Structure formats: C-alpha cells, structure tokens
C-alpha cells in the first residue's frame, strides 16, 4: 500500500476539512472529556501523500482547535481544549476537550511501564516551524514510546492549545 500512488488527494483533503467543519463541540459536558478524532483513514500519513496536503490538514486542525477555544461556554467550571498531532500517524490525531480538572492533570503523567512521554524542548525542534505554519496556540512536544506485546512503537506527539 505504501508504494501505491495516493489518488484524489485534493478531493480527500477537501472532504476531510468539510467533516472537521461539521463537528459540534461541548455535547458531552457530563463526561471527563470529549474527543474528536481525525475523520480519515491512514491515507493522510502515506509517504505518497504530498507534503502540502499534510500541512493543509495540520493548519485545519489547529484552526478548528482555535475556533473551539474561542467559542467555549463561559459557564463551564473547568474547560481546556487541546489538539494532538501524532507524527507520523496523522490519522491518529485528535482534539480533546477536558471538563475535569483532575483528569486534565493526570492526563500528562505518562511514565508507566508500557507507555512513556519524554518532553521535547521547543527551542531545539518545532513541528510548526518545520512546516512553516503560523499559529497563536501554545506548542508542546513529546517523544512517545509504547511497548505492546514485546514490540516498541515510537512516535512524536505535538500538543497545541491550553496547555
């Protein structure tokens, strides 16, 4: 599959952006948090998908996060909006709306036996700078390591929003 040409990239990114625009946040305020996953299949992370298409997805992702932050209800006792961009697994990206302060605080503790996050200093490397994306959102990066049935999976998670 990786060697196949990705056909219809402009059509797929347009459909993806349209789906993102239709999201209605703040519907599950009784829960600890609300998740919005990237509404696409792994085509977005294929090596054959153009860099411009991937950058367009990231810009749309950050714009939607900023829009949700701007429109959050004032009457909520606690609410934080955070976007996660998973590299190289862009289709695993998500926007999280936290309604529980306790859950928000424990969310960042990832030093377990099977999963760990190691902080990346933004002065050394930045996803936004590498893609020439301008955003007013705060950026924080982590190297993620997951150990699953003896296999080690590594990725980089970039967080944006109310960190």
């Amino acid at each position: 599959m990786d060697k196949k040409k990705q056909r219809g990239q402009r059509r797929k990114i347009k459909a993806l952006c349209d789906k993102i625009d239709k999201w209605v946040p703040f519907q599950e305020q009784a829960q600890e948090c609300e998740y919005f996953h990237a509404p696409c299949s792994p085509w977005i992370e294929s090596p054959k998908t153009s860099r411009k298409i991937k950058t367009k997805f990231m810009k749309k992702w950050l714009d939607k996060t900023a829009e949700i932050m701007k429109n959050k209800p004032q009457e909520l006792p606690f609410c934080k909006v955070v976007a996660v961009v998973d590299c190289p697994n862009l289709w695993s990206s998500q926007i999280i709306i936290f309604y529980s302060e306790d859950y928000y605080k424990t969310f960042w503790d990832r030093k377990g036996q099977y999963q760990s996050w190691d902080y990346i200093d933004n002065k050394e490397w930045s996803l936004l700078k590498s893609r020439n994306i301008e955003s007013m959102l705060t950026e924080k990066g982590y190297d993620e390591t997951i150990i699953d049935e003896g296999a080690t999976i590594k990725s980089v998670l970039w967080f944006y929003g109310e960190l």
Side-chain angles (χ1 to χ4, degrees), residues 78 80 98 100-110:
F78 180 85
K80 298 268 187 186
F98 293 95
S100 166
E101 189 170 2
D102 292 336
Y103 183 67
Y104 176 78
K105 289 177 183 175
T106 59
F107 178 83
W108 302 103
D109 182 26
R110 302 294 172 120

Side-chain angles (χ1 to χ4, degrees), residues 113-140:
Q113 180 179 1
Y114 300 107
Q115 181 185 34
S116 67
W117 288 357
D118 296 314
Y119 180 73
I120 298 171
D121 188 2
N122 286 19
K123 294 173 186 154
E124 294 177 19
W125 190 61
S126 166
L127 180 64
L128 294 181
K129 289 177 187 171
S130 71
R131 295 278 181 167
N132 291 325
I133 299 173
E134 291 187 23
S135 177
M136 298 303 293
L137 300 176
T138 305
E139 178 181 52
K140 198 184 250 189

Side-chain angles (χ1 to χ4, degrees), residues 5-54:
K5 181 178 179 181
Q6 286 296 325
R7 299 187 180 276
Q9 292 182 34
R10 287 191 298 258
R11 174 183 48 81
K12 289 178 183 177
I13 193 66
K14 183 181 181 319
L16 175 62
C17 290
D18 289 345
K19 288 178 185 175
I20 292 170
D21 282 334
K22 291 178 183 174
W23 284 345
V24 180
F26 310 110
Q27 299 298 308
E28 299 182 25
Q29 295 177 17
Q31 304 293 323
E32 289 182 323
C33 63
E34 187 174 1
Y35 292 95
F36 294 98
H37 296 276
C40 68
S41 61
W43 72 269
I44 191 78
E45 67 191 44
S46 168
K48 298 292 183 172
T49 300
S50 80
R51 184 171 169 88
K52 286 182 182 179
I53 296 292
K54 293 176 183 181

